[in-house]
Amino acid sequence: MSVTEPVRLHQELERIWRTPRGLGQLSAVNHTVIGRRFIVAAFVFFAIGGVLSMLIRAQLASPHSAFVGPELYNQIFTMHGTVMMFLFAIPMFEGLAMYFLPKMMGARDLAFPRMSAYGFWCYVFGGSILIVAMMVGVAPDSGWFMYTPLSSGRYSPGINADVWLLGITFVEISAMAAAVELTVSILKVRAPGMSLARMPIFAWYILITAGMMLVGFPPLILGSILLEMERAFDLPFFDPTRGGDALLWQHLFWLFGHPEVYIIFLPAAGMISTILPVLVGHRLLGYSWIVVSVTAMGFLSFGLWVHHMFTVGIPHLAQAFFSAASVLVAVPTGVQIFLWIGTMMAGRPRLSLPMLYLIGFFVVFVCGGLTGVMLAIVPFDWQAHDTHFVVAHMHYVLVGGFVFPMLAAAYFYLPHFSGRMPLYGVGHVAFWLIFVGFNLTFLIMHLTGLLGMPRRYYTYESGYGWDWLNLVSSIGGFITTMGFALVAFDFIFQFRYGRIAPRNPWKSGGLEWATATPPPSYGFASLPMVEGRDPLFSDPETGRKLASGQGYLAIPRNDWQETLVVEMATGRAQAIQILPQPTFLPLWTAVSTGVFVLSLLFKVYPLSIAAIVSTLGLLLLWTRATGATVDRGELDAGHGLRLPIHPETSRPLSWWGMTFVLLADATMFASLLFGALFLWLVAPSWPPPLMTDLPATILVAAAAALLVAVGGAAFALRSLKKGSGLPGMIVAVAGSAGATALLGWLVWQVPEPTSHAHLALTAAILTYLGFHAAVGLVFALFGLWRIRAGIVSARRSADLSIGALWHGYTAATGIIGLAFVAIMPWLAAVERVAP
């Protein structure tokens, strides 16, 4: 290949992949651009959360401080926790994952670039709603955990709680989009030859984390919806005087909240496992053991949620179980820590700035883990619950387990972002300010907690021994803030004045260093064949070879943005994925979604209906760029490899995306049924005085209509092999329409849903089923249109296969939900006659 040919290759790829300038940058969907935007936005929210923490410490520096009043203080500490947990930690790791994973896995982009862009705009808009509310004095003030009944309409009558419930739900759309995006990308969008056993360890961490998000976030989303429905429409899900129970909120919240701690920690741990071996000059010990331990943490974290509820009056047997589970989760954490220490002992650590932050992590996080084991013991938890000891423990775990590793990763990877090396003089000073200031703040806070100082109080009396301890903590907090400010200046100066970085300055074996630094929009000029876990160790010339076009997909065609799809386990190349070009549709869809959220916030419900229709229409417009009217067959992928394009495979990436969406949806449905059973067994005033008496014939007819819909969709899919799927799709349309109508009628037949939680939950379950039937109708009509337009064929059946997935799920949940609704009156009759 001549010298001019690689230059021409890069120029052509840049023309195809570049993001337009000016306002056109708002149309960006490229993972590098979106990842950077997530990271920058997360840093901005981190700065806001840091300022709020300083306001808290200023208020608590002395007893009876008049710095802020109780109302404002409640908003400040609520927003501090909300910003740090929802607007900084999770979006920060999402941004890092979006930026690095394709580069680490030898791909050009993620599976669904437009979904990443849509998630980013939802994140920014949702976070902005919360920040603007704080600026105008109506920020949430019930705590970042929003416990009921304090957050109910009776005790929080303004829109403060609504801002949290709707704003956080808006932000969670972003998190769920990222979870689906990252899961499918890790499993399917990798370089040929990269089997699961050869994946970068960071990819394993993000895969487990994304799976935890898919299962852990829906309970919070459901709880937020139920609480907002209670506040807006007086449906008594959490009102104990009408069959509800405030503890239901705690169960739904901590079903999310405790896995959330590990969702935050695991990506940071993934960065440790990635950069620590490079810094000490020795490959990571126990790759397989770490994968197993991370998987174990993911499973165990969902069995610990009652760890936060030891003082609410649960049975002693449950306390013993969850206490043991809370101690058990320390085992896989310890496995990782010991393997990291073993890697350092096997290598030769260099006290570079990233290494300093990793040492800070070991010190701070291990201390936080030890206090976590203390709090897992029920008698001690009873003594320390709701004191500053818990606040100190949480910050040792989250700051030690997330912020310190992320700062190490930031300094390690800054040459990749900027193409320049760090200016270490300022960075060292910043590290010591952060390390000393943090421990001065929160180590002392353990003592104030043990002395009995409660958290969330805006003031305190003198004479309890808390005065000087709080003053020292506040001084430490301001020292920490100075350190973070220096870090920010250091980053800015590096981008402007740092010396030019050589390629792969740390001598890493990861594929992310095979790209140029900073990387071009297309990442790799050609894609590699992976034959080991550290490709650059096997062949240090990999970057040069890929840049000269010696890999796969080295010849641009049809102005397509191409990357490869592989088999999940083996990494064998399976298809060519054609990715979407820059588009404003994700932005406008997020704006429409934001209008829906704001219309609910201000209770302009006609506008909310219009916004739903608008959002649905915009989502359908996304499909204009997908599909084709002709079969292309197999295309050349380079090195003699011929592959079909993704729409012509039986299970394209969109099919896998829908599969994981339905996994999250199933978790929400299970949480809804869990809530109904919990209230039945625990809440007062059960069985209710008035039960639903829905006609059995209509319930059976609704279930039959759902089965007709799924049968029609399946028949349409099978018919493509012999001819048209039109008749089956017409049957699916009829079944979905009938189910939607019948379920809507059943919702209206529920008597007085505001009178008792049973009736409200019955209406909620039927509404859930009716919504899914209505979406199924949209899928059926869409499939009908795609068939008539000639976009669907025996080879191009993705549209129908995705619809069939939805219809199958809707039928399964519909039958379960309708049976649940039907059996509850029977259970009540049995309970009334039981002795």
Side-chain angles (χ1 to χ4, degrees):
M1 180 175 287
S2 67
V3 176
T4 57
E5 286 177 322
V7 172
R8 194 178 303 118
L9 169 62
H10 287 269
Q11 289 174 342
E12 184 67 7
L13 287 170
E14 181 61 28
R15 182 187 65 80
I16 295 172
W17 285 80
R18 69 172 182 264
T19 297
R21 297 184 178 182
L23 290 177
Q25 294 185 33
L26 299 178
S27 67
V29 297
N30 184 269
H31 79 101
T32 298
V33 177
I34 300 300
R36 285 173 176 168
R37 288 178 179 177
F38 262 105
I39 293 169
V40 171
F43 268 122
V44 171
F45 284 117
F46 178 71
I48 294 171
V51 171
L52 293 173
S53 70
M54 290 302 95
L55 296 178
I56 294 172
R57 289 315 320 168
Q59 171 67 17
L60 298 179
S62 60
H64 297 294
S65 174
F67 186 68
V68 295
E71 294 82 6
L72 183 56
Y73 182 83
N74 287 341
Q75 294 187 31
I76 290 172
F77 90 78
T78 299
M79 284 298 296
H80 168 67
T82 299
V83 167
M84 290 304 194
M85 296 292 284
F86 296 100
L87 303 183
F88 163 63
I90 292 176
M92 174 60 75
F93 95 72
E94 289 172 355
L96 285 170
M98 288 179 184
Y99 180 90
F100 280 115
L101 277 177
K103 300 173 180 64
M104 290 179 171
M105 298 189 302
R108 284 178 174 154
D109 211 321
L110 297 167
F112 311 115
R114 292 178 298 182
M115 185 182 291
S116 298
Y118 173 66
F120 170 75
W121 293 117
C122 288
Y123 160 52
V124 170
F125 294 159
S128 298
I129 290 173
L130 291 161
I131 300 304
V132 171
M134 181 176 63
M135 294 172 63
V136 298
V138 292
D141 56 1
S142 302
W144 69 273
F145 35 80
M146 291 295 289
Y147 282 167
T148 57
L150 180 61
S151 56
S152 64
R154 179 177 179 182
Y155 298 103
S156 296
I159 69 169
N160 304 63
D162 299 303
V163 169
W164 191 97
L165 294 169
L166 294 170
I168 290 302
T169 301
F170 196 5
V171 172
E172 295 308 299
I173 295 174
S174 169
M176 297 305 295
V180 173
E181 171 81 284
L182 295 173
T183 303
V184 176
S185 298
I186 293 169
L187 292 176
K188 298 294 292 181
V189 185
R190 307 193 299 266
M194 184 178 284
S195 63
L196 291 178
R198 293 174 179 173
M199 280 202 316
I201 193 67
F202 183 67
W204 273 110
Y205 276 95
I206 298 299
L207 177 62
I208 301 301
T209 303
M212 292 172 66
M213 291 168 67
L214 290 172
V215 178
F217 280 30
L220 174 64
I221 296 173
L222 174 67
S224 299
I225 293 171
L226 295 181
L227 184 52
E228 181 59 27
M229 290 173 66
E230 178 174 302
R231 291 176 55 84
F233 305 114
D234 197 31
L235 298 177
F237 300 108
F238 307 103
D239 183 357
T241 65
R242 293 179 287 165
D245 197 320
L247 286 184
L248 175 58
W249 170 264
Q250 289 200 36
H251 280 288
L252 292 176
F253 182 86
W254 290 116
L255 277 168
F256 146 82
H258 200 87
E260 162 87 343
V261 175
Y262 299 95
I263 288 170
I264 291 173
F265 166 67
L266 286 179
M271 275 297 173
I272 296 171
S273 293
T274 299
I275 68 177
L276 179 65
V278 181
L279 294 174
V280 302
H282 193 280
R283 291 188 176 183
L284 180 67
L285 297 182
Y287 174 98
S288 299
W289 281 103
I290 287 182
V291 172
V292 171
S293 66
V294 172
T295 306
M297 285 183 69
F299 279 104
L300 289 173
S301 66
F302 286 98
L304 311 181
W305 80 92
V306 182
H307 168 89
H308 299 267
M309 301 171 61
F310 285 155
T311 62
V312 303
I314 62 174
H316 291 299
L317 182 61
Q319 288 180 343
F321 172 83
F322 287 104
S323 177
S326 300
V327 174
L328 183 62
V329 78
V331 175
T333 309
V335 168
Q336 294 172 75
I337 290 175
F338 280 113
L339 286 171
W340 291 333
I341 293 174
T343 302
M344 288 193 293
M345 294 177 65
R348 302 182 64 180
R350 296 167 290 171
L351 284 182
S352 59
L353 188 53
M355 194 68 210
L356 273 179
Y357 276 105
L358 291 184
I359 293 173
F361 152 79
F362 281 111
V363 173
V364 174
F365 182 75
V366 169
C367 291
L370 293 174
T371 57
V373 173
M374 294 167 65
L375 289 170
I377 308 304
V378 175
F380 182 84
D381 184 84
W382 283 351
Q383 298 298 315
H385 188 76
D386 266 348
T387 69
H388 274 214
F389 187 94
V390 178
V391 178
H393 155 71
M394 184 173 67
H395 282 81
Y396 262 79
V397 169
L398 294 180
V399 176
F402 184 78
V403 175
F404 276 88
M406 283 304 179
L407 287 174
Y411 276 105
F412 183 87
Y413 279 115
L414 270 174
H416 202 287
F417 283 92
S418 66
R420 297 177 180 272
M421 295 299 291
L423 306 172
Y424 282 148
V426 177
H428 280 81
V429 175
F431 165 77
W432 288 111
L433 286 173
I434 293 171
F435 184 78
V436 173
F438 173 83
N439 285 284
L440 198 61
T441 302
F442 294 103
L443 183 62
I444 296 295
M445 204 174 287
H446 287 94
L447 300 178
T448 57
L450 291 175
L451 289 174
M453 183 172 179
R455 56 177 172 171
R456 308 173 194 138
Y457 278 44
Y458 85 101
T459 189
Y460 55 93
E461 298 287 341
S462 60
Y464 290 101
W466 305 340
D467 304 31
W468 72 272
L469 294 173
N470 273 298
L471 180 60
V472 172
S473 285
S474 296
I475 292 172
F478 282 94
I479 292 174
T480 307
T481 303
M482 293 167 57
F484 283 119
L486 277 183
V487 168
F489 282 117
D490 195 23
F491 288 172
I492 295 171
F493 288 151
Q494 178 190 331
F495 273 84
R496 183 71 178 86
Y497 300 109
R499 60 184 176 85
I500 301 299
R503 177 172 290 198
N504 196 6
W506 302 100
K507 308 303 179 187
S508 169
L511 273 177
E512 69 270 26
W513 294 104
T515 69
T517 52
S521 54
Y522 49 87
F524 298 96
S526 58
L527 303 185
M529 166 60 76
V530 174
E531 298 177 349
R533 290 178 187 160
D534 300 294
L536 297 194
F537 287 159
S538 303
D539 184 3
E541 294 296 310
T542 298
R544 182 189 61 78
K545 292 178 180 178
L546 297 179
S548 62
Q550 298 181 38
Y552 295 99
L553 300 181
I555 303 175
R557 59 188 154 206
N558 303 330
D559 286 344
W560 286 349
Q561 296 184 0
E562 296 178 328
T563 194
L564 290 178
V565 177
V566 300
E567 287 186 349
M568 192 177 296
T570 64
R572 185 179 66 86
Q574 193 175 47
I576 298 172
Q577 176 76 2
I578 302 173
L579 300 169
Q581 302 283 345
T583 172
F584 287 98
L585 280 174
L587 172 59
W588 292 123
T589 308
V591 169
S592 181
T593 311
V595 171
F596 171 70
V597 170
L598 291 174
S599 65
L600 294 179
L601 179 62
F602 296 107
K603 297 179 172 50
V604 187
Y605 297 119
L607 179 59
S608 66
I609 296 174
I612 289 177
V613 174
S614 171
T615 303
L616 176 61
L618 288 166
L619 288 171
L620 290 174
L621 285 177
W622 289 30
T623 64
R624 291 186 307 173
T626 62
T629 56
V630 295
D631 294 334
R632 294 183 178 272
E634 293 184 342
L635 303 178
D636 180 27
H639 296 280
L641 182 66
R642 297 188 64 82
L643 299 170
I645 59 175
H646 72 285
E648 298 181 11
T649 57
S650 59
R651 292 185 176 179
L653 297 184
S654 50
W655 187 92
W656 288 104
M658 178 58 71
T659 300
F660 290 111
V661 167
L662 293 179
L663 171 63
D665 201 343
T667 305
M668 181 179 292
F669 181 64
S671 300
L672 182 58
L673 298 186
F674 163 81
L677 291 173
F678 173 80
L679 293 181
W680 187 282
L681 296 172
V682 174
S685 303
W686 286 74
L690 177 65
M691 297 294 297
T692 53
D693 188 19
L694 300 175
T697 54
I698 303 300
L699 293 173
V700 172
L706 292 172
L707 291 175
V708 168
V710 70
F715 179 71
L717 200 56
R718 289 196 303 270
S719 299
L720 290 177
K721 298 177 181 179
K722 300 178 181 179
S724 171
L726 198 59
M729 216 66 246
I730 293 174
V731 172
V733 170
S736 297
T740 303
L742 291 170
L743 288 166
W745 185 85
L746 286 171
V747 172
W748 285 109
Q749 297 307 303
V750 177
E752 302 179 30
T754 60
S755 63
H756 195 275
H758 159 65
L759 301 172
L761 280 166
T762 300
I765 292 171
L766 292 172
T767 300
Y768 173 92
L769 301 179
F771 171 79
H772 283 72
V775 175
L777 177 59
V778 173
F779 271 112
L781 290 170
F782 177 75
L784 192 64
W785 170 71
R786 298 285 266 197
I787 292 173
R788 293 181 63 86
I791 298 174
V792 173
S793 70
R795 291 180 63 92
R796 293 174 277 111
S797 60
D799 295 323
L800 299 194
S801 63
I802 293 169
L805 264 181
W806 183 272
H807 290 300
Y809 172 82
T810 302
T813 54
I815 292 171
I816 294 171
L818 290 169
F820 189 87
V821 168
I823 203 173
M824 289 185 76
W826 179 80
L827 289 174
V830 171
E831 187 171 351
R832 286 195 182 97
V833 300

